[in-house]
Amino acid sequence: MDELSKQYNPKEVEDKWYSFWQANNLFSAKPDPSKKPFSIVIPPPNITGILHMGHALNNTIQDILIRYQRMKNKEALWMPGTDHAGIATQNVVERQLAKESLKRQQLGREKFLEMVWVWQKQYGTTIINQLKKLGASCDWERTRFTLDEGYSLAVSEVFARLYDKGLIYQGDYIINWCPRCQTALSDEEAPHSELRGHLYYLKYPFKENKREFIVVATTRPETMLGDSAVAVNPKDKRYKKFIGQALILPLVNREIKIIADNMVDMKFGTGAVKVTPAHDHNDYLLGKKHDLQFINIMQPDGILNGNAGKYCGLDRFKAREIVLEDLKTRGNLEKIVDYPLSAGHCYRCHTIIEPYLSKQWFVKMKPLAKPAIEAVKKGKIKFHPSRWRKVYLNWMQNIGDWCISRQIWWGHRLPVYYCKDCLKQANECTVNSEQLTEKSFTVNSKQPTVNKKGIIVSKIKPEKCPNCSGSNIVQDEDVLDTWFSSWLWPFATFGWPFETRDERRETRDEEDLKYFYPTSVLVTAPEIIFFWVARMIMAGLEFIADVPFRNVYIHGTVRDIEGKKMSKSLGNVIDPLEIISQFGADALRFSLVSITATGQDVFLSAEKFQMGRNFANKIWNASRFILMNFKVDALPALKSEELNIQERWILSRLNRTIKNVTAALDNFDFNESSKLLYEFFWHEFCDWFIEMAKDDCLPHRQITKSVLIYCLVEFLKLLHPFMPFISEEIFSRLSSRAGSIMIAQYPVYKKEFVDLELEAQFDKFISLVSRVRNLRAKLSLAPSQLIECQIVGGAKEDCEFLQSLANKFKILAKSSSVTFKQSAEKPQKAIADVEAGFSIYVPLSDLGDVVEQIKRIEKKKIELNSLILGIDKQLRNNEFLKKAPQEVVDAQKEKLEFNKNSLEKLKRILDALKAS
């Protein structure tokens, strides 16, 4: 057995063991009828991504679960992969082109995509390699990519099936449009954020009397160029007599009418609103309802078009300035007031989105949502924490149709083809398939789906039109929303729909899907419940007829210590790779889960990783002490009748820790399980048992050595899911143990070792020793200065128990003698530490120079007073209470209470010393 080095060096350990695990194929999983399956599909990181703290937290939690279940003898599969990230990846490559003063349109689609694939092969696996540095035990041989050939087949299959059922349709709708990326976005891809805006009050004159006017209020005055009407509420008495009258649209001089609709909010602005059906979601509905004209005044890049008249060619925000200036000059601008508004932003480039009338492809979601709602209501899927169930159900019950087409080139191109000849005959170039009733072919016959108007849905380009047999066929230019591929992730990763040329692979994939699906748990963040989680549930039920996972664990968002979300622009990002380099992967992992309360956001600073580093060092040093001093082999078995009090106590604590950690992990309480591990090893095993065992490990106490080794081994196995590298390194030095800790049996709770009454009594022993130590510290006694302790209180059995540990008490408390009595008078001239249950008395004669003691304590009293005043002042500061995370505030309150109690004890000691 090699001796552990004096200091733990993660850099010497981590790469070595990760290579060992991979070389021995310990991450792989395959169907095994003798084992229960446990599976997780990784939330596929974008190929543009690099590891950040959100990834680190998410993947640490997944790895803990996989390693835990693997040790419990389940066939544990962690399915890895990456997402092609359509908009993000295209943006990255386009920025590279821009450095050469090129645009993708100059290259053409084919050459541009070649360039993206080159980029993907060079950089697309960066985050995978970084996950390995974290210790992620994924079955890397199964790594999938959402643009793999087989995966793309699944995407086309799903599109065709949904189209065939009438659930995919094409139509003109107001969508969220990003002028920068020049593509449609779903509602979830255009999150709203608060802006300091303005409300502009514009005068619209009446046609018959241009001196009279109606004032409308708007936040986007430039869109007035596309107005089709002014709307008022029919219940609004101010405007009832004007309904139906004509107005003249300023600057454009186009006649528009005043219409009435209950949608109008009488309290907004003046109660009269402009209606621009082609540039506003609500106005679109009004336009459809009242048969208004739809006037698009904007190009896809946000530049005004010919319908904007003299403002053609201006950027939308520049046009706003000039439109306002012209309205002011003509007397049509009444006033401008500050107005906070919520505007959608592109989730990738953060450009303010534009509501835009466009022909897009949509999925009808309500039919898909219904069974997905029922599955959660019936408990087939459980959310952890449970509050997210309500959030999920609320969104699903109010779900709208999903815009799935994107006007970019990188992604799954729509499996939609147009027969130009058929469309020409039909005198149209697009069709709303929602309205179709006749189909020439069906997906079930493995033929293209076509309708009589010339739209063909096919997984491969048809050689001829199934309707007219013509060959004048072109494919739709759009690609599918990235989420349209990732909602198939839990089953498409297994090769569904199993149409490959390799029959052996096809059979294996089907077996894998049958064995590992539904997966056991999904670990994800709250912001993608709607993007991804809900859609995966719908897809699983629609295409596999079962839910995709049984549990959904939602962890919090990683924020900085002040509660701000981490971002490069704020400069508050902590790079996990730098933390790994500085402290090690184990320290990063353990620190993260230790401060992650279930469902709560994580408030992080670089200093917090020192806790994980210190814990790793403590484990290393304690293990080194044990392995240096005691032989591991040929240790006697543990027999209850041969164990002393402290040995029975530590085995009881170990087994209760095993039980509680197991329960916490089964309940997805990672924060609690890590705290239990920390408390047991540092404070119980190291601080107390190892210290007491040092003078027991003589030849006649071989059993103590057995207990030490046994506890260490069981603890390392408990620890392994959290800190895989250090646990493997130490475990490997235990020469009597064969194989990797990864596949060792997870500790089993042994009730026969548990003694709750003994634990309760031992807690009193620990408490009393700690109180004597604290008293020594307050008196600034040197370690060599022994004191006499008289302990009074407790029941008869308490005193008998404590007396049996008197020798241990003297060693640990640095006492020359100790007595335990149920009752006794306070000794003359003694310092007292009085608490409920027990009082501790120390004769003044043991304390040396009393005058010096008084001086030292007076000084400590002043320091403590100052500290208390500082904390109290901070807790009275409203700015601190408003900005600081609750955990920081609570910690300061606890600190204040602790210091106040310490001050009271100091005062009592001081009074006793002065009285002497």
Side-chain angles (χ1 to χ4, degrees):
M1 180 184 70
D2 296 331
E3 185 180 305
L4 293 181
S5 58
K6 287 185 178 180
Q7 291 184 322
Y8 176 56
N9 186 346
K11 292 178 181 178
E12 293 178 357
V13 168
E14 292 175 354
D15 289 344
K16 175 185 75 174
W17 283 115
Y18 203 87
S19 298
F20 172 84
W21 294 330
Q22 285 199 289
N24 287 274
N25 216 25
L26 296 181
F27 299 158
S28 68
K30 59 184 178 182
D32 184 344
S34 68
K35 292 183 179 181
K36 290 183 178 179
F38 183 90
S39 56
I40 296 176
V41 290
I42 198 171
N46 293 345
I47 58 171
T48 57
I50 56 172
L51 195 69
H52 56 62
M53 277 301 171
H55 291 133
L57 173 62
N58 179 274
N59 287 280
T60 292
I61 290 170
Q62 291 177 82
D63 196 43
I64 289 171
L65 288 169
I66 284 291
R67 289 178 183 270
Y68 167 61
Q69 296 293 346
R70 189 184 287 128
M71 294 176 74
K72 293 189 80 174
N73 200 36
K74 290 185 182 177
E75 193 64 19
L77 168 63
W78 188 5
M79 176 72 78
T82 52
D83 191 284
H84 65 277
I87 295 173
T89 305
Q90 181 155 314
N91 281 346
V92 168
V93 179
E94 283 191 279
R95 283 198 294 270
Q96 287 185 353
L97 283 174
K99 292 176 182 177
E100 302 172 29
S101 301
L102 289 172
K103 291 186 176 181
R104 61 182 166 99
Q105 291 82 357
Q106 293 171 267
L107 290 181
R109 186 176 197 132
E110 187 175 337
K111 287 188 176 180
F112 176 76
L113 290 178
E114 285 177 9
M115 186 175 178
V116 182
W117 276 109
V118 169
W119 184 93
Q120 186 271 337
K121 286 178 173 60
Q122 187 172 358
Y123 300 106
T125 58
T126 297
I127 196 165
I128 293 290
N129 295 326
Q130 292 172 338
L131 286 172
K132 292 178 180 180
K133 295 292 289 182
L134 186 69
S137 58
C138 297
D139 189 347
W140 296 113
E141 290 185 358
R142 292 178 178 268
T143 303
R144 300 302 302 269
F145 177 46
T146 51
L147 277 179
D148 284 345
E149 184 179 352
Y151 200 101
S152 297
L153 178 66
V155 173
S156 298
E157 177 76 16
V158 163
F159 187 98
R161 289 193 190 189
L162 292 176
Y163 183 82
D164 195 47
K165 289 182 71 172
L167 293 178
I168 283 183
Y169 64 92
Q170 188 186 44
D172 290 307
Y173 284 87
I174 283 282
I175 45 89
N176 301 307
W177 182 265
C178 175
R180 159 63 183 80
C181 300
Q182 294 191 39
T183 184
L185 301 170
S186 67
D187 289 342
E188 292 74 32
E189 292 170 321
H192 281 64
S193 57
E194 297 297 321
L195 297 175
R196 291 181 180 178
H198 299 90
L199 199 57
Y200 305 90
Y201 288 77
L202 314 181
K203 298 177 181 178
Y204 284 28
F206 284 93
K207 178 184 177 182
E208 300 302 328
N209 183 1
K210 293 184 176 58
R211 293 182 179 179
E212 298 293 325
F213 48 82
I214 277 184
V215 177
V216 301
T218 180
T219 58
R220 297 159 65 221
E222 70 281 2
T223 61
M224 66 163 292
L225 304 170
D227 283 359
S228 298
V230 165
V232 297
N233 193 298
K235 297 176 184 176
D236 196 330
K237 295 177 181 179
R238 295 172 294 177
Y239 300 115
K240 269 193 173 182
K241 63 181 179 181
F242 300 126
I243 295 171
Q245 292 190 29
L247 300 169
I248 298 298
L249 183 63
L251 306 182
V252 181
N253 294 322
R254 186 172 66 248
E255 182 179 329
I256 58 176
K257 286 190 175 182
I258 300 173
I259 62 173
D261 198 283
N262 288 320
M263 279 181 64
V264 178
D265 180 1
M266 291 186 284
K267 295 179 181 179
F268 176 76
T270 62
V273 296
K274 57 191 279 308
V275 183
T276 320
H279 292 280
D280 183 89
H281 291 282
N282 290 328
D283 293 2
Y284 172 84
L285 298 175
L286 286 170
K288 285 286 187 182
K289 185 176 179 180
H290 295 275
D291 197 25
L292 301 176
Q293 190 177 5
F294 285 69
I295 304 168
N296 186 349
I297 62 163
M298 206 172 292
Q299 296 173 179
D301 58 1
I303 303 297
L304 271 57
N305 63 24
N307 290 333
K310 72 172 189 175
Y311 305 98
C312 177
L314 293 175
D315 171 78
R316 54 182 172 153
F317 297 119
K318 184 63 179 177
R320 178 179 297 180
E321 296 175 15
I322 297 175
V323 163
L324 287 169
E325 191 61 38
D326 288 352
L327 287 169
K328 184 178 179 181
T329 301
R330 299 187 183 199
N332 294 106
L333 178 61
E334 183 178 81
K335 63 180 178 178
I336 302 173
V337 299
D338 292 338
Y339 186 77
L341 56 90
S342 180
H345 290 70
C346 174
Y347 79 120
R348 283 301 175 195
C349 70
H350 309 298
T351 300
I352 295 177
I353 62 102
E354 190 70 34
Y356 197 68
L357 184 64
S358 177
K359 193 175 290 294
Q360 301 289 341
W361 289 87
F362 296 84
V363 177
K364 294 174 72 171
M365 298 303 284
K366 286 195 179 296
L368 297 171
K370 188 175 180 180
I373 291 169
E374 288 304 306
V376 171
K377 282 185 173 180
K378 291 178 178 178
K380 291 182 179 179
I381 298 174
K382 290 182 171 62
F383 281 84
H384 310 271
S386 58
R387 71 173 184 271
W388 291 109
R389 177 181 183 271
K390 185 177 180 180
V391 174
Y392 165 88
L393 290 173
N394 182 62
W395 184 77
M396 290 288 279
Q397 286 160 351
N398 296 280
I399 197 168
D401 287 357
W402 176 14
C403 177
I404 57 170
S405 46
R406 297 290 180 269
Q407 290 65 52
I408 57 176
W409 289 348
W410 175 246
H412 296 96
R413 196 166 175 182
L414 269 69
V416 176
Y417 300 85
Y418 301 107
C419 174
K420 288 187 174 181
D421 296 335
C422 289
L423 290 175
K424 188 175 182 180
Q425 288 180 3
N427 194 29
E428 58 180 65
C429 61
T430 57
V431 65
N432 186 342
S433 64
E434 189 181 29
Q435 301 169 350
L436 298 177
T437 56
E438 297 180 21
K439 301 277 173 67
S440 301
F441 300 94
T442 66
V443 172
N444 293 333
S445 65
K446 296 191 177 180
Q447 294 290 332
T449 297
V450 66
N451 64 74
K452 60 185 180 182
K453 294 185 178 180
I455 290 184
I456 307 161
V457 171
S458 176
K459 288 177 280 187
I460 58 172
K461 183 177 180 179
E463 293 181 3
K464 59 182 180 179
C465 174
N467 187 54
C468 71
S469 297
S471 59
N472 192 9
I473 296 170
V474 295
Q475 187 174 2
D476 196 300
E477 291 290 321
D478 288 353
V479 301
L480 287 159
D481 175 15
T482 299
W483 298 102
F484 192 88
S485 54
S486 57
W487 76 323
L488 316 179
W489 191 248
F491 54 89
T493 46
F494 288 102
W496 184 92
F498 313 121
E499 294 181 11
T500 64
R501 293 178 183 176
D502 186 342
E503 291 184 7
R504 289 173 300 175
R505 172 62 188 267
E506 183 178 331
T507 302
R508 193 194 80 183
D509 285 343
E510 288 191 72
E511 289 175 355
D512 284 355
L513 183 66
K514 186 177 180 180
Y515 183 76
F516 289 112
Y517 187 97
T519 61
S520 306
V521 60
L522 178 77
V523 179
T524 189
E527 57 264 27
I528 56 173
I529 290 177
F530 314 130
F531 277 108
W532 194 45
V533 179
R535 289 170 181 167
M536 281 192 290
I537 295 171
M538 288 184 269
L541 290 165
E542 174 69 16
F543 302 107
I544 309 297
D546 201 352
V547 295
F549 27 74
R550 300 298 187 196
N551 296 280
V552 180
Y553 175 77
I554 308 288
H555 59 73
T557 300
V558 178
R559 302 181 181 277
D560 68 14
I561 198 65
E562 294 181 356
K564 296 174 185 174
K565 192 170 181 178
M566 289 189 173
S567 71
K568 290 180 181 178
S569 59
L570 292 175
N572 61 350
V573 171
I574 301 174
D575 184 350
L577 295 175
E578 287 183 9
I579 298 297
I580 290 172
S581 177
Q582 189 176 358
F583 298 127
D586 285 335
L588 170 77
R589 291 164 62 110
F590 195 83
S591 298
L592 273 177
V593 294
S594 294
I595 59 175
T596 304
T598 303
Q600 302 299 312
D601 285 351
V602 184
F603 300 97
L604 201 58
S605 65
E607 291 73 27
K608 291 200 174 185
F609 295 104
Q610 292 176 6
M611 184 274 288
R613 188 264 321 268
N614 294 342
F615 189 44
N617 288 340
K618 185 73 171 181
I619 294 165
W620 186 261
N621 292 336
S623 300
R624 184 171 183 268
F625 168 78
I626 292 170
L627 294 174
M628 280 178 63
N629 288 283
F630 314 122
K631 289 184 178 180
V632 175
D633 294 324
L635 292 171
L638 302 180
K639 297 178 181 179
S640 298
E641 64 273 14
E642 296 178 3
L643 300 172
N644 63 26
I645 290 173
Q646 56 268 31
E647 289 159 2
R648 287 192 287 120
W649 168 74
I650 197 64
L651 289 172
S652 184
R653 289 300 309 130
L654 170 65
N655 277 277
R656 285 229 288 143
T657 300
I658 290 169
K659 181 181 180 180
N660 293 335
V661 168
T662 302
L665 284 176
D666 288 341
N667 288 312
F668 304 101
D669 195 342
F670 306 99
N671 167 251
E672 176 64 15
S673 53
S674 63
K675 285 181 178 177
L676 289 166
L677 290 170
Y678 186 92
E679 179 68 27
F680 170 78
F681 191 82
W682 194 305
H683 296 302
E684 295 173 344
F685 185 62
C686 292
D687 287 354
W688 297 103
F689 184 69
I690 289 181
E691 288 304 308
M692 288 187 285
K694 284 178 180 178
D695 69 321
D696 285 336
C697 292
L698 300 171
H700 64 280
R701 285 306 298 168
Q702 285 293 318
I703 189 92
T704 300
K705 301 175 186 179
S706 293
V707 173
L708 278 166
I709 299 296
Y710 177 79
C711 288
L712 177 59
V713 169
E714 294 301 285
F715 170 76
L716 289 173
K717 290 191 285 187
L718 284 176
L719 180 73
H720 177 72
F722 297 82
M723 303 177 80
F725 295 107
I726 193 171
S727 58
E728 183 74 275
E729 177 70 10
I730 297 170
F731 187 84
S732 71
R733 307 302 181 96
L734 303 173
S735 60
S736 62
R737 312 285 158 177
S740 169
I741 196 172
M742 265 189 64
I743 52 176
Q745 183 184 21
Y746 192 77
V748 177
Y749 170 67
K750 295 178 181 177
K751 189 177 181 181
E752 64 269 24
F753 280 125
V754 174
D755 188 335
L756 297 180
E757 187 178 337
L758 173 66
E759 286 188 40
Q761 291 283 37
F762 210 88
D763 284 347
K764 294 170 187 174
F765 170 78
I766 289 173
S767 174
L768 287 168
V769 173
S770 299
R771 284 170 61 188
V772 173
R773 286 174 170 177
N774 290 336
L775 190 59
R776 292 180 62 91
K778 289 182 175 70
L779 295 167
S780 301
L781 298 180
S784 59
Q785 188 175 349
L786 302 182
I787 57 174
E788 178 187 337
C789 293
Q790 298 178 35
I791 297 174
V792 179
K796 182 182 178 182
E797 56 269 26
D798 293 334
C799 292
E800 290 174 352
F801 178 84
L802 292 167
Q803 191 62 50
S804 70
L805 288 170
N807 288 334
K808 296 296 181 188
F809 192 99
K810 286 191 290 183
I811 294 168
L812 295 170
K814 307 271 186 216
S815 300
S816 56
S817 65
V818 61
T819 59
F820 300 95
K821 297 180 181 179
Q822 277 186 269
S823 61
E825 292 184 10
K826 178 184 175 182
Q828 291 292 321
K829 295 186 178 182
I831 295 292
D833 179 14
V834 180
E835 286 188 10
F838 293 93
S839 297
I840 300 172
Y841 300 106
V842 176
L844 290 176
S845 58
D846 286 358
L847 305 182
D849 189 335
V850 173
V851 175
E852 283 301 315
Q853 288 285 1
I854 290 172
K855 286 181 181 179
R856 282 198 294 266
I857 293 173
E858 287 280 15
K859 185 179 179 182
K860 283 187 179 181
K861 182 182 168 186
I862 293 169
E863 292 172 355
L864 209 50
N865 258 320
S866 177
L867 184 61
I868 289 168
L869 287 171
I871 299 172
D872 188 60
K873 183 179 179 181
Q874 188 181 38
L875 289 172
R876 292 176 185 274
N877 186 326
N878 289 329
E879 283 298 308
F880 169 75
L881 296 175
K882 190 189 302 181
K883 293 180 179 179
Q886 190 59 44
E887 64 171 20
V888 174
V889 175
D890 291 342
Q892 289 299 89
K893 287 179 179 178
E894 288 179 17
K895 192 175 178 182
L896 178 64
E897 193 62 30
F898 175 80
N899 286 320
K900 282 182 175 179
N901 290 335
S902 296
L903 182 62
E904 285 303 313
K905 287 186 177 182
L906 272 185
K907 286 178 179 177
R908 289 198 293 269
I909 292 171
L910 202 55
D911 290 342
L913 289 171
K914 287 179 178 178
S916 67

